[in-house]
């Protein structure tokens, strides 16, 4: 769900922005680029843009594929997975949105999992820094 939401939000934000476009590089970083900075609006790993993340974790803590100096936008959402019958469930709702500039020093490195995927997460001071830049909170 988080991946689908991230893709949809990235596309929608690009569509409604005057200066941000989707990164045309498959799985490139960041998700949104400042238009015209990179040739063909495509870069494997750039610095000029915004990385889009989604999570169900209150407060916006989310894993990334690596610690970077970047603008990060985190959308927190809520899903009703309990109400039965399912037809009576509440719709998915966005409850928080954060947008802030973070640096490599704001992250902690997580150990590799069994499949070897290395991740990084904002440490306590890093997440506090991001939370100071809230855009929307219910």
């Amino acid at each position: 769900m988080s991946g689908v939401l991230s893709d949809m939000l990235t596309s929608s934000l690009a569509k409604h922005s005057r200066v941000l476009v989707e990164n045309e590089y498959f799985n490139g970083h960041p998700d949104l680029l400042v238009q015209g900075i990179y040739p063909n609006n495509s870069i494997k790993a750039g610095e000029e843009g915004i990385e889009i993340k989604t999570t169900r974790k209150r407060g916006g803590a989310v894993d990334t594929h690596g610690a970077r100096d970047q603008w990060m936008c985190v959308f927190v959402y809520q899903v009703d997975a309990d109400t039965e019958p399912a037809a009576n469930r509440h719709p998915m709702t966005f409850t928080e949105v954060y947008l802030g500039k973070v640096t490599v020093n704001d992250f902690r490195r997580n150990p590799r999992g069994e499949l070897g995927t290395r991740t990084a997460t904002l440490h306590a001071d890093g997440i506090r820094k991001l939370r100071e830049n809230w855009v929307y909170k219910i």
Side-chain angles (χ1 to χ4, degrees), residues 27-40:
N27 276 340
H29 180 89
D31 298 310
L32 291 170
L33 302 176
V34 176
Q35 185 174 8
I37 297 290
Y38 303 106
N40 302 315

Side-chain angles (χ1 to χ4, degrees), residues 4-122:
V4 169
L5 284 176
S6 291
D7 290 348
M8 288 172 53
L9 288 163
T10 298
S11 179
S12 183
L13 289 167
K15 179 181 176 182
H16 296 285
S17 175
R18 290 183 289 164
V19 296
L20 297 172
V21 296
E22 288 187 70
N23 187 346
E24 296 296 330
Y25 195 96
F26 179 72
N27 276 340
H29 180 89
D31 298 310
L32 291 170
L33 302 176
V34 176
Q35 185 174 8
I37 297 290
Y38 303 106
N40 302 315
N41 295 317
S42 176
I43 189 80
K44 182 177 182 179
E47 294 184 9
E48 299 298 326
I50 302 172
E51 182 69 4
I52 305 296
K53 295 291 184 187
T54 61
T55 183
R56 291 172 63 177
K57 298 176 189 168
R58 286 187 63 212
V62 63
D63 289 343
T64 67
H65 291 294
R68 303 170 189 241
D69 294 344
Q70 64 186 347
W71 280 95
M72 186 184 311
C73 185
V74 180
F75 291 81
V76 180
Y77 64 98
Q78 196 171 50
V79 176
D80 177 1
D82 299 320
T83 303
E84 292 295 338
N88 292 339
R89 291 182 181 171
H90 299 286
M92 185 212 67
T93 307
F94 288 105
T95 57
E96 305 164 50
V97 180
Y98 302 96
L99 173 64
K101 178 84 168 165
V102 295
T103 67
V104 170
N105 294 329
D106 293 323
F107 288 87
R108 70 170 194 265
R109 274 77 171 169
N110 302 323
R112 283 183 183 220
E114 266 186 51
L115 299 177
T117 303
R118 181 168 289 158
T119 62
T121 306
L122 291 170

